[in-house]
Amino acid sequence: MSIVFNQDSRLFVLSTKNTEYQMKIDEIGILQHLYYGAPTGGMDMEYQIGRLDRGFSGNPWEYRTQRPKSLDTTPQEFTSSNVGDYRISSIQVRHANGSASCDLRYKCHEIRQGKYTLEGLPYVRGNNGALAADQDAETLVITLVDEPTGLEVQLLYGVFEKKDVITRSTVIVNNGEDAVVVNKLASACVDIPFGRHDLIHFYGKHNMERMTERVPVKHDVICIQSKRGMTSHQHNPFVILCDQDTTQATGAAYGFMLMYSGNHKTEVEKDFTDSTRVVMGINDTDFAWKLEKGASLTAPEVILTYTEQGLNKLSSNYHHIIRENVIDAKYYNVERPVLINNWEATYFDFDKEKILKIADQAKDIGIDMLVLDDGWFGIRNDDNTGLGDWFVNTDKLEGGLKPLADGVRERGLKFGLWFEPEMINEDSDLYRAHPEWALTDPGRKPNFSRNQLVLDMSRTDVQEYLFDRMAEIIRDAQCYYVKWDFNRSLANVYSNNLPADRQGETAHRFVLGTYALLDRLLKEFPDLIIEGCSGGGGRFDAGMMFYTPQIWTSDDTDPICRLQIQAGSSYGYPVSVMGSHVSASPNHQTGRKTSLKTRGIVAMSGTFGYELDLTKITEEDKEIMSQQIRTFRKYYWLIQHGEYYRLTDERDENYFTAWQFVSEDQSEALVNIVASNVHANPEIPCLKLQGLDPDAWYEEETSKVRYTGRALMSAGYVFTEFVGGFMGDDDSFPADQYHFVKI
């Protein structure tokens, strides 16, 4: 069993293949966090708690004569509030009498086979909807109680033994007589008593998401958060805590990933005892959930993993759990279509004939699907009008979408369509009919972004309207794919459907409403593929991946920018979810010129597609694109399901970026290298490959030269041909692929 409770010592041990997680109930019911790391060989790790009398660190009433036993210095599994622990708290409540105290003590626990699920929220799938049955998955539920009020907190743990993953969630239940206001409910709290750590987090902005920043954890509180109503381009809900000497290939690292698509917060505190605490969950800014008698509230799930084998191994753990247990298993063995999106080819200026001309070219090149982007509905000739009016613009598309979609299918292509369901323009029939459906403060002029407002997704009538309109269109056009966009942050977060004392629930109810609509559409259209998008990568998170097996990684399609964006994304998220396209050169976002070869190699490390005007490219470029598609299909399963390794690190001052895929059986590997800076007379890179069979021989497909796996991993591969690309005059940013096959 992966979950064991020792009744005598009151010790919980959660075990996976390479990790161990320990908790212990002390004499007065405090649930202590003892350890998370490599297996201990059955050792009770309570000895690591240093019991010293720390000045001005108070004691629970029961320990009032035992000064070393202070909550202010005790590592805990879920921290109470206003009871003498002055570090980051996991919970904040306001009782009916105005008190903010919550003193949580152990009440009971339950161990059961299989993985728990969460109602209305995404979660890591166990037996239900996962790729593998994961019969080894187990659930632990520990119930804590605040005795004076009857308030209960259930701590949920899911243990995936083979995948070295532990999930956590929290449910708060009001068993008291009076309503309670919940101002904070974290999903997970982890105390790490020793060590010097770095924090790796993923910051950014529109067109440059998930940049990697690594900073030392000092005596401070570091807060990584979004208050934008969505995951945000600025801060991803995923962080890594690692030893300061941890590299891509070696060293200890902890991963914390929140499966949530709204306001989030991760707090990291190194306290006066040199202990580090990580608390992760919904952002408590403006959050206030009224919990009536008998009601409950569930926090989103956190995915935890630990490794002593470096950052690439940590990433591998996340890639496997997301591909196989977060994303619905029905998509796993479905080869995603290579697509052409018309956006950068036409923007709003198109008609049926123009789109079908693009489809003709796409068919000749070998593309599988055409996606019609923004502008097909309402009075929508720019981004100022029409959002919410999900009716086909028959002035542009005579006869509606069906004739166009049929024409695309007659050319042998699948048909996909763009929506932005959660948004509304003031200049729309929907807003004129239902202004109360928008998030707006009574008596105030609303904040606009891109000249649009946001629909109140907490309302069931809004969800019903969107479902009815989208379902009719998807059914009529027989859409294979939907691109689901979300192009602004939330402001004026006020629901005209909630009373004043529940307005603090609006932002979270908004996210729950979006999840409910996604879930309903996927049940109605079980074969539909939805690609998430939010101005590119503004809602790139494991919560959305529960519903959308791929997400548009960034609106920036410049391949040199994409090297950083995709590398940063890869720390937590697999290549198979990253929407990545070849676009025009010069690039529409940066103006940079790059070769079609370079653009293709970068875009292949994703779902792959094109976003340019195929009617304006040369015959030579069409042939290159055809070859790119053949290459992508040749390596498809290696790229999508292979082990991914970053061969270069953002901290190194390289003029190139390199990454590698290795098949599960180690029979083949694909190495990609792209110049990210222009250098005159550059040095020749020599990089140590990873994940190969050390005792096997590998042949590089192009040169036919053979190497031992041990040589490639211990000494490295010398990229002489790549440097030769700098000598040409057609490409300032050369790129190459190297395919190694076991012989």
Side-chain angles (χ1 to χ4, degrees), residues 110-150:
E110 176 190 4
I111 299 172
R112 59 177 183 257
Q113 186 67 30
K115 166 65 168 53
Y116 63 84
T117 61
L118 300 178
E119 185 68 30
L121 282 165
Y123 53 88
V124 178
R125 305 173 203 259
N127 297 349
N128 181 23
L131 175 67
D134 278 303
Q135 296 297 331
D136 62 324
E138 287 187 282
T139 290
L140 168 65
V141 182
I142 301 176
T143 300
L144 310 178
V145 62
D146 180 48
E147 289 288 356
T149 64

Side-chain angles (χ1 to χ4, degrees), residues 337-341 344 371 373 481 483 531 550 552-554 556-559 562 566 578-584 587 599-600 602-604 606-612:
V338 176
L339 65 86
I340 177 69
N341 184 297
E344 290 191 13
V371 178
D373 211 279
Y481 161 107
K483 181 179 178 183
E531 177 171 294
Q550 57 196 62
W552 183 228
T553 316
S554 177
D556 188 344
T557 56
D558 181 317
R562 274 296 186 112
Q566 291 174 197
M578 296 186 201
S580 187
H581 296 170
V582 173
S583 62
N587 182 265
R599 284 174 274 156
V602 174
M604 283 184 203
T607 57
F608 197 58
Y610 292 87
E611 192 154 340
L612 41 72

Side-chain angles (χ1 to χ4, degrees), residues 210-225:
R210 288 170 301 288
M211 299 293 98
T212 305
E213 184 168 73
R214 181 169 178 165
V215 296
V217 177
K218 299 181 179 180
H219 292 89
D220 197 355
V221 177
I222 302 173
C223 180
I224 309 298
Q225 66 174 330

Side-chain angles (χ1 to χ4, degrees), residues 14 16 19 21 23 33 35-36 77 116 124 156-160 163-169 187-192 238-239 253-259 266 278-280 301-307 314 317-318 321:
L14 282 54
T16 70
T19 72
Y21 190 108
M23 300 168 279
H33 176 85
Y35 177 78
Y36 186 25
E77 196 60 26
Y116 63 84
V124 178
L156 277 59
Y157 301 80
V159 182
F160 291 82
K163 290 188 169 72
D164 283 331
V165 162
I166 296 172
T167 66
R168 289 191 58 179
S169 180
S187 299
C189 170
V190 176
D191 280 338
I192 303 169
F238 168 57
V239 301
Y254 302 86
F256 304 81
M257 179 182 288
L258 183 67
M259 289 187 68
T266 301
V278 181
V279 174
M280 176 178 269
E301 188 163 86
V302 169
I303 308 173
L304 302 174
T305 192
Y306 172 84
T307 183
L314 186 95
N317 291 351
Y318 278 114
I321 201 74

Side-chain angles (χ1 to χ4, degrees), residues 609-622:
Y610 292 87
E611 192 154 340
L612 41 72
D613 193 344
L614 295 178
T615 66
K616 295 180 180 178
I617 62 173
T618 66
E619 292 300 318
E620 179 183 2
D621 280 352
K622 288 179 186 177

Side-chain angles (χ1 to χ4, degrees), residues 40 43 142 175 266 415 424 515 618:
T40 66
M43 185 71 193
I142 301 176
N175 289 324
T266 301
F415 182 73
I424 185 171
Y515 288 156
T618 66

Side-chain angles (χ1 to χ4, degrees), residues 254-311:
Y254 302 86
F256 304 81
M257 179 182 288
L258 183 67
M259 289 187 68
Y260 189 61
S261 310
N263 293 335
H264 60 85
K265 179 185 279 189
T266 301
E267 298 167 284
V268 181
E269 178 178 9
K270 187 171 185 177
D271 68 17
F272 67 99
T273 71
D274 286 342
S275 176
T276 300
R277 173 173 289 176
V278 181
V279 174
M280 176 178 269
I282 293 176
N283 197 322
D284 55 328
T285 302
D286 297 327
F287 181 82
W289 192 281
K290 187 176 181 180
L291 204 63
E292 299 283 2
K293 176 183 177 181
S296 65
L297 172 66
T298 302
E301 188 163 86
V302 169
I303 308 173
L304 302 174
T305 192
Y306 172 84
T307 183
E308 293 188 331
Q309 300 176 49
L311 299 172

Side-chain angles (χ1 to χ4, degrees), residues 468-486:
D468 289 344
R469 294 306 315 131
M470 293 178 73
E472 181 177 331
I473 291 162
I474 292 167
R475 191 177 295 110
D476 183 60
Q478 298 176 47
C479 296
Y480 181 82
Y481 161 107
V482 160
K483 181 179 178 183
W484 184 301
D485 216 337
F486 183 90

